[in-house]
Amino acid sequence: MILAFLFQQKKLAVVFTVFIILLGLSSLQSIQRDKFPNVDMEEMTIKTAYPGASPEDVELNVTNKIEEELKSITGMKSYTSVSKENLSSIKIEIEPDIKDKEAVKRDIRNAVNRVQGLPSEIKNLPTAKEKKVSLKSVIQINLTDSSIGYEQLRLVSDNLEKTLERIEGVAEVNQKSYLDSEVKVYISPEKLNQYKLSLNQVVKRINDHNTRYTAGDNNNPTQEKNIVVLSKYTKASDVENIVVKALFDGLAIKVKDIATVENGFVKETSILHTNGYKSFSLLVKKQEQADIITTVEKIKETVAAFKQSNLKTLEVFYSRDGSKEVKNRLDIVMNNGITGLALVVIVLGIFLSFKTAFWVSLSLPVTLLGAITFMVIFDETINLVSLSGMILVLGLVVDDSIIIAESIHSHIEKEGRSIRTVVKGFKKVIMPLITSLLTTVISFSSMFMMSGTMGKFVYILPLVVIFALIMSLLEVTIALPAHLFAMKASDKKINWFKKYELKFENFLKTILHYRYIVVLSFVSLLAVSIFLAATQLKFTLFPSKSSDKINTRIETKIGVSLIELEKIVNQVEPIIIKTVGKNLDSLSTDIATRFAHIVDMDIALIPTNDRELSARTIMEDLKKATKNIQGIEKIVFSVKRPGPPRGSDIEINLIGPYSDLKNAASQLTKIMEKMTGLYDIDRDDKPGKPRIEVKLDNEKIERLNIDYANISTYLKAAFNGVEITNMRQGDNDVYFRMYLGNNANRGRCIKNQDCQ
């Protein structure tokens, strides 16, 4: 009775269908689109830059001190530290079973803030940062302009950064390949000797003069005023007139008498290339709740307007655009949906009727839009994983509607159009259909039990499938039978397929006499399938066949200069651009960013649908094209598999005395190189640059009454310079760096006093 009443409510069916479609379209406008689900990786990283330091100094003076503070914290699963030239990096994994993870993160931050006694060369104190998918950059903007100089392009980059930060949805803009301004003070050793001055005296005078403080008020009973001492530097030339020594004869020795002061930039330690050109880069991060496609479109519109109103000669390249993958997957869903609708209409129109085909095909948008509505209610996003679920469920929901429609249509043809025949046709298949849906739900629900990082990413996939199946069940129960019952009766009957149905019916009757043989045949087929799956079928969670990225690592001789490293890159980049050809979307090159002798390159390809060659085929072509390039000791190409962020497939940590670790790591590497299926075996214990060791003669130091701190100052000033003070210019701090000798020959001045 209930079904009979429900199936006669044509208006209710129409209202239900229209309501779900409108609600889904509204939800589609408001739902957030992102690359991946917003996942907290339950990891934190602590990075500390220590300029000019060797790996051993970084470990002793930075890493060990931070680790000492971390030891007292509970709730950490493990922490791994890497000390390399100029940088200390510590990765912390938080225990997954801890309930209050935020408390653990606060403890880690507090521990880092307690670290004391760090070297004075460290400008930025260490900070602990969370690793979240939402904190990754969504696009990289690369700028180059051959018509202007570095300083002017730097100013353009600064202005663009400020413009981008004002865009709605943008959280942060970071610049790469950006050299901070620096004032260089070149001290003449001959002048120091002439006026009997030491470096420390000059440093002290320059520091003492650069001050600003309040001395209270004037204690005037009628009008009080604050007394402020203003002696801060505002430009580089202010230092030149600082008096470092005054003699009895009235001669005042100023900085300009013993030194040359120049505006410049900090020493370049890494270089960035984009599409073969040296460039500035801005990495843009979006806000956690911002839509990735909308935000990237706003960024590109803003950059285009900025270029038009400032420098038309400015060349802009985009790379690492996270919205492209989301757009591509959305296009796949749309194309599959349209193709599915067309096929349903054509096939059902041929076998049943075009009216039936229309109502069945309508179930597809109703189901998908209904699933999107559920996603909005549960605060989920459209991302690469949820879109995969939608692609997967397209065929399932169409099958449900076809089964119901065919059963009802068959009963109407046999018994005539009445509510009784519609109910009879519906009831005949609804229980098997529900059983099928439940088995599908149970199968996908097992993915909810996946643990670890992968479980955090894939939970949305079964959720989307379940939402879609629920909507499909509601649609075929409430709306579809009512739509089919309300259709006007047609005298036209489709009889051309009847003879094929009779032939198939006779065939079934025949094989049913041999049912044991049939069952045994299918059991045998199942056994063979299981055997082939176990022995021949390879398992890859995210296959590289659909990948659009190739990663490249170039290793050169340890100790190679940055200039020589860039020359090697200038040989490789044209080869890559020529080999990849029209399949290339962008080429990003990081020179000496991770290690001083290593180059990392990201080769982004156009989408898989738009090219004929796979990423693996292109990779093999690149391997052949880049053989025997002079200066390269090792070049490794690897296809970056799609999927959520993750580390290496296999990661092995060795623990023990450092003297034994190098030998053990080398032996293990040789063993793994012989194993099939392993490639790109990388070690993080790469040696630093060769070093020149300075041995101090303690006896002479004591005889000459030399301060050990002075020796350190002179050595640093002779080669890398010493930071002495700073001034404020705009939003940035500009540091003064003092050198002993000029830029060309200060390396010889320690032993020979030849620093002019």
Side-chain angles (χ1 to χ4, degrees), residues 611-716:
R611 65 176 194 269
E612 296 178 358
L613 300 176
S614 67
R616 190 162 294 278
T617 303
I618 295 172
M619 182 185 73
E620 295 300 327
D621 293 340
L622 288 171
K623 286 181 179 179
K624 296 175 184 177
T626 53
K627 280 185 178 179
N628 305 321
I629 296 178
Q630 190 175 2
I632 295 179
E633 294 198 346
K634 184 180 180 182
I635 182 166
V636 178
F637 294 94
S638 59
V639 175
K640 184 178 180 182
R641 295 197 302 272
R646 61 192 178 280
S648 303
D649 294 331
I650 301 172
E651 186 173 307
I652 302 174
N653 295 315
L654 302 180
I655 301 173
Y658 186 74
S659 56
D660 299 333
L661 287 178
K662 299 281 286 185
N663 185 41
S666 299
Q667 292 182 36
L668 185 58
T669 301
K670 290 179 181 178
I671 293 171
M672 290 191 293
E673 285 174 347
K674 296 177 182 178
M675 296 181 179
T676 56
L678 293 182
Y679 69 98
D680 193 14
I681 300 170
D682 192 21
R683 292 168 55 170
D684 63 1
D685 63 335
K686 293 177 174 61
K689 299 174 185 174
R691 63 186 184 186
I692 301 171
E693 294 187 359
V694 178
K695 294 185 178 179
L696 302 179
D697 190 329
N698 296 326
E699 184 178 341
K700 287 185 178 180
I701 290 173
E702 293 298 331
R703 287 179 184 277
L704 297 173
N705 194 27
I706 297 174
D707 191 347
Y708 280 89
N710 286 347
I711 297 175
S712 172
T713 302
Y714 273 82
L715 277 172
K716 291 177 180 178

Side-chain angles (χ1 to χ4, degrees), residues 20-53:
I20 294 298
I21 290 176
L22 293 177
L23 189 62
L25 291 173
S26 175
S27 301
L28 192 60
Q29 296 297 317
S30 61
I31 193 169
Q32 180 189 347
R33 294 169 294 181
D34 214 333
K35 189 172 182 179
F36 292 111
N38 185 19
V39 172
D40 185 351
M41 305 293 285
E42 295 176 0
E43 289 183 11
M44 298 190 78
T45 55
I46 305 169
K47 291 188 177 182
T48 312
Y50 185 5

Side-chain angles (χ1 to χ4, degrees), residues 354-624:
F354 282 101
K355 291 181 180 179
T356 303
F358 170 77
W359 291 115
V360 170
S361 62
L362 198 62
S363 65
L364 189 58
V366 168
T367 301
L368 289 182
L369 291 172
I372 291 172
T373 303
F374 275 120
M375 291 171 65
V376 171
I377 294 171
F378 284 85
D379 198 25
E380 299 295 344
T381 64
I382 288 181
N383 50 66
L384 296 182
V385 183
S386 59
L387 287 172
S388 298
M390 290 183 185
I391 295 170
L392 189 65
V393 84
L394 282 175
L396 297 176
V397 297
V398 172
D399 287 346
D400 298 342
S401 300
I402 291 174
I403 291 169
I404 294 291
E406 193 281 329
S407 180
I408 292 174
H409 188 274
S410 176
H411 279 75
I412 290 175
E413 275 195 338
K414 291 178 182 178
E415 303 177 20
R417 184 176 300 274
S418 67
I419 191 62
R420 187 182 64 82
T421 55
V422 172
V423 172
K424 189 176 179 181
F426 176 81
K427 292 174 71 175
K428 182 179 179 180
V429 294
I430 189 61
M431 290 311 295
L433 184 66
I434 292 174
T435 305
S436 174
L437 291 179
L438 287 175
T439 55
T440 305
V441 168
I442 292 170
S443 299
F444 277 95
S445 297
S446 61
M447 299 180 75
F448 288 125
M449 293 183 281
M450 287 183 68
S451 59
T453 303
M454 193 57 62
K456 296 175 185 177
F457 279 94
V458 302
Y459 83 95
I460 185 65
L461 194 148
L463 203 61
V464 169
V465 171
I466 291 170
F467 287 159
L469 293 178
I470 291 172
M471 280 307 306
S472 176
L473 182 61
L474 290 174
E475 204 277 335
V476 300
T477 304
I478 298 174
L480 184 59
H483 291 315
L484 296 178
F485 176 66
M487 288 193 315
K488 292 182 180 179
S490 176
D491 297 331
K492 184 181 178 181
K493 293 186 178 182
I494 300 173
N495 298 316
W496 67 270
F497 197 66
K498 291 293 183 182
K499 59 181 180 179
Y500 297 104
E501 287 183 350
L502 291 173
K503 288 181 180 180
F504 185 69
E505 184 178 341
N506 294 330
F507 172 72
L508 285 178
K509 289 178 179 178
T510 302
I511 65 170
L512 285 175
H513 293 295
Y514 307 97
R515 55 185 179 276
Y516 295 111
I517 297 176
V518 173
V519 171
L520 183 61
S521 300
F522 277 97
V523 169
S524 302
L525 182 62
L526 176 62
V528 171
S529 301
I530 293 172
F531 173 77
L532 291 175
T535 58
Q536 304 296 324
L537 191 62
K538 296 179 181 179
F539 172 75
T540 304
L541 188 59
F542 294 99
S544 59
K545 188 176 181 180
S546 60
S547 177
D548 297 332
K549 290 183 176 63
I550 300 174
N551 293 335
T552 308
R553 188 179 76 250
I554 299 173
E555 295 187 16
T556 60
K557 185 179 179 181
I558 295 171
V560 67
S561 67
L562 189 63
I563 296 173
E564 291 300 315
L565 197 57
E566 188 177 22
K567 288 180 181 178
I568 293 171
V569 169
N570 289 335
Q571 296 179 59
V572 177
E573 286 179 331
I575 296 173
I576 291 176
I577 292 171
K578 182 180 178 181
T579 304
V580 181
K582 62 182 181 180
N583 296 313
L584 182 66
D585 183 54
S586 66
L587 173 63
S588 301
T589 306
D590 292 313
I591 305 173
T593 301
R594 289 194 303 128
F595 292 94
H597 66 292
I598 288 180
V599 177
D600 295 299
M601 307 176 82
D602 286 346
I603 305 170
L605 307 175
I606 60 176
T608 310
N609 299 335
D610 299 333
R611 65 176 194 269
E612 296 178 358
L613 300 176
S614 67
R616 190 162 294 278
T617 303
I618 295 172
M619 182 185 73
E620 295 300 327
D621 293 340
L622 288 171
K623 286 181 179 179
K624 296 175 184 177

Side-chain angles (χ1 to χ4, degrees), residues 117-137:
L118 295 174
S120 58
E121 290 84 358
I122 296 177
K123 293 183 192 175
N124 301 317
L125 295 177
T127 55
K129 293 186 177 181
E130 295 182 54
K131 186 177 180 182
K132 282 186 175 181
V133 176
S134 59
L135 299 179
K136 289 186 174 293
S137 59

